Amino acid sequence: MFYKKENGWKDIEESAKKNVMDFSEGYKEFLDTAKTEREVITYSQKMAEANGFVDAESMETLKAGDKVFYNNRGKNLILAVIGKEDILKGANFVVSHVDSPRLDLKQNPLYEDGDFALLQTHYYGGIKKYQWASRALSLHGVVALKSGKLINIVIGEDPTDPVFVIPDLLPHLDRHVQRDRKASEVLKGEEMNILVGSIPTTMKDGEMKEHFKYTILKKLNDDYGIVEEDFISAELQLVPAEKARDIGLDRGIVGAYGHDDRICGYTSMISMFDLKETPRRTSICYLADKEEVGSMGSTGLQSRYLDYFMGDIIYKIVGDKFNDQILRKVLWNSHALSSDVNAGLNPLFKSVHDEQNASKLGYGIVLTKYTGSGGKGGSSDADAEFVAELRSIFDDANIKWQTGMLGKVDEGGGGTVAMFLAHYGIRTIDAGAALLSMHSPMELASKYDVYEIYRAYKVFYNF
């Protein structure tokens, strides 16, 4: 029997098509509401609590059917449903990251030049810098005051809000400054400064030298009670101000910022909420941070937080029998979907893809056996037995799936969190969506795939 990829839209029934379209409306709302990792975690915890999940730290013991969550510093969320089977036989993880490429403000960002107030930025993750110029941007984040108070800021999402922009150079004058630059330098990192003000203060003060900067500082102080020094203890991010939109006359694609990787975070969370029965194995939805910069830091997957919450779960199930070897055994017997996106076949740039092995939009969830680059560098490379098991359970559930690669062998490549899960001995494979325009301010994903990924994760939790 030949393996043949098929577009899922071709034979879809009207009732199924309605399910696909309806599901994507909730997903678009999520994308519009949660544009930073902190916002995703806040949004997701509220949904979890509404679906009966309770803070695991408040529980002394855990038993089959219990639904708990762990929140790590507002940037990781773990949802767990305790399964019927002995925890020593392992757990099923669906692990997604909820950080996306963006612009972060520097710690001392505000200055004025040319009768403008501007903010300096440092880009986060792999981006094409020129795509961020002359685009409406919104400001999201938190400012931590010395008093301990946390100020939440969102400016640019409401239609009545102002937005922010990197002013690009007009084509009439770019011949010697921009036009001959390499694509990666059309806009350089130190040129990615945000226009935030253009009106000087009317306050008369002979000592004052920065009248445009003062206007902005006064506005921030009046509205939020912050002063310039507070930027030092702030996490403020600039993201595209656009809302998620349907793409094409047939409305089959969602165009939005942050599909990578909130498409997997949202579907892994909703599929867990929709489990009708207690799963056989303990099921875990892990929303991670820092993937776009190497999974470093205390909220990245290279931290020891996996040991922390899994140790807590196991201890609350087995009690005084707990020891480190039991933790290692549980992880070694576990399975995981490293739920991240792949590069869909781009009809404008087909030369970078191996078409026979490339993933496509509308063909269902993508199983990526290995990622990496330059000879599979930085890849965990899932074992054949695990791939076969997934083929079986997805086929049995009539889940549309496909395989994928991140471009031709010597064309480029990339990595995911899979290697950090496999480090524990967890049998791991990448499984997520095919995207066009990945890492851009507007990525493209098929609505069909969004729904099929949701269905696939739901089946995997019961695997």
Side-chain angles (χ1 to χ4, degrees):
M1 181 178 178
F2 292 106
Y3 166 59
K4 183 181 178 182
K5 297 181 181 180
E6 293 183 338
N7 190 300
W9 291 111
K10 285 185 177 180
D11 301 316
I12 192 170
E13 297 180 358
E14 280 304 313
S15 60
K17 185 175 181 180
K18 184 178 186 305
N19 290 337
V20 168
M21 294 300 190
D22 289 347
F23 188 83
S24 288
E25 291 306 304
Y27 175 51
K28 289 192 296 183
E29 179 185 340
F30 168 77
L31 289 171
D32 290 343
T33 305
K35 288 189 173 182
T36 70
E37 68 279 5
R38 283 183 181 267
E39 291 171 352
V40 171
I41 299 310
T42 298
Y43 182 102
S44 302
Q45 183 173 320
K46 287 180 180 177
M47 289 194 69
E49 290 171 331
N51 280 276
F53 285 73
V54 299
D55 190 340
E57 304 290 358
S58 69
M59 305 282 284
E60 293 186 2
T61 61
L62 293 173
K63 62 183 185 306
D66 284 345
K67 299 188 290 186
V68 295
F69 69 83
Y70 294 82
N71 185 320
N72 179 24
R73 297 168 182 171
K75 295 181 181 181
N76 292 155
L77 187 70
I78 286 78
L79 307 176
V81 180
I82 308 304
K84 293 178 286 189
E85 195 170 76
D86 186 347
I87 189 66
L88 293 179
K89 294 184 178 180
N92 290 341
F93 293 81
V94 179
V95 183
S96 317
H97 69 89
V98 294
D99 60 316
S100 296
R102 60 179 189 255
L103 305 181
D104 289 344
L105 292 192
K106 291 183 178 180
Q107 287 189 288
N108 185 25
L110 185 60
Y111 74 103
E112 72 170 59
D113 191 11
D115 285 358
F116 296 107
L118 301 108
L119 291 168
Q120 294 180 318
T121 71
H122 194 306
Y123 61 91
Y124 173 98
I127 64 171
K128 291 184 175 181
K129 296 186 285 291
Y130 66 80
Q131 293 179 332
W132 292 72
S134 298
R135 177 181 291 274
L137 302 172
S138 55
L139 183 68
H140 295 238
V142 297
V143 180
L145 305 184
K146 289 192 293 183
S147 65
K149 183 178 181 181
L150 201 65
I151 308 295
N152 287 289
I153 294 178
V154 178
I155 306 171
E157 295 297 335
D158 189 281
T160 63
D161 284 350
V163 293
F164 309 95
V165 70
I166 300 171
D168 202 1
L169 185 60
L170 66 165
H172 309 72
L173 296 177
D174 73 348
R175 182 177 303 171
H176 300 296
V177 177
Q178 271 187 329
R179 197 175 301 181
D180 293 332
R181 292 180 179 180
K182 297 185 298 183
S184 61
E185 297 179 350
V186 169
L187 190 66
K188 296 180 181 180
E190 293 297 340
E191 294 169 340
M192 300 184 74
N193 296 335
I194 308 297
L195 184 62
V196 292
S198 59
I199 300 175
T201 181
T202 57
M203 192 172 106
K204 305 299 181 185
D205 185 341
E207 303 267 331
M208 186 181 299
K209 295 180 180 179
E210 297 178 306
H211 296 79
F212 296 86
K213 177 178 173 179
Y214 179 86
T215 299
I216 301 306
L217 286 173
K218 186 176 187 309
K219 179 67 174 172
L220 290 172
N221 188 256
D222 290 345
D223 291 354
Y224 300 102
I226 61 178
V227 297
E228 185 172 11
E229 186 180 311
D230 293 326
F231 279 118
I232 294 171
S233 54
E235 292 179 2
L236 293 169
Q237 306 167 7
L238 288 141
V239 299
E242 294 99 327
K243 304 298 183 184
R245 301 292 298 272
D246 290 346
I247 302 296
L249 295 177
D250 56 8
R251 297 180 177 270
I253 287 174
V254 175
Y257 164 71
H259 282 314
D260 181 11
D261 182 35
R262 291 170 195 146
I263 193 170
C264 297
Y266 179 78
T267 48
S268 63
M269 173 178 63
I270 300 300
S271 59
M272 177 164 279
F273 296 157
D274 288 349
L275 292 175
K276 301 301 182 186
E277 298 178 353
T278 300
R280 179 173 64 89
R281 292 157 64 96
T282 294
S283 296
I284 295 169
C285 170
Y286 191 155
L287 304 182
D289 183 29
K290 296 290 189 291
E291 191 274 347
E292 297 294 357
V293 290
S295 296
M296 313 300 186
S298 64
T299 56
L301 208 63
Q302 290 206 66
S303 75
R304 299 295 297 273
Y305 195 61
L306 181 72
D307 305 66
Y308 173 83
F309 77 78
M310 280 304 295
D312 191 65
I313 287 173
I314 297 165
Y315 175 74
K316 288 174 178 176
I317 292 173
V318 305
D320 292 339
K321 296 178 182 178
F322 177 83
N323 58 50
D324 286 348
Q325 181 59 20
I326 287 178
L327 171 60
R328 288 190 286 267
K329 185 173 183 179
V330 170
L331 294 174
W332 197 266
N333 288 335
S334 294
H335 301 78
L337 299 183
S338 169
S339 302
D340 211 339
V341 298
N342 203 319
L345 183 70
N346 189 319
L348 306 185
F349 301 100
K350 293 173 72 172
S351 65
V352 302
H353 299 279
D354 168 9
E355 192 166 352
Q356 182 169 321
N357 287 285
S359 58
K360 296 181 179 180
L361 270 67
Y363 283 63
I365 188 170
V366 183
L367 298 181
T368 306
K369 188 177 186 296
Y370 48 83
T371 53
S373 60
K376 297 186 181 180
S379 173
S380 68
D381 204 346
D383 62 76
E385 294 87 346
F386 186 37
V387 178
E389 289 176 339
L390 292 175
R391 287 173 55 203
S392 177
I393 66 168
F394 289 159
D395 283 346
D396 288 347
N398 197 30
I399 302 292
K400 185 74 72 175
W401 61 272
Q402 58 178 315
T403 58
M405 283 180 59
L406 201 60
K408 287 183 176 177
V409 173
D410 287 330
E411 198 64 47
T416 67
V417 300
M419 69 183 88
F420 308 123
L421 298 166
H423 173 75
Y424 288 94
I426 301 172
R427 300 175 74 182
T428 307
I429 190 171
D430 285 287
L435 298 184
L436 297 185
S437 302
M438 192 193 299
H439 280 213
S440 77
M442 179 166 278
E443 301 172 315
L444 307 180
S446 169
K447 290 183 178 180
Y448 179 86
D449 296 341
V450 176
Y451 190 67
E452 209 64 3
I453 292 165
Y454 154 78
R455 294 182 61 231
Y457 292 164
K458 195 172 174 182
V459 167
F460 180 77
Y461 285 134
N462 280 301
F463 166 49

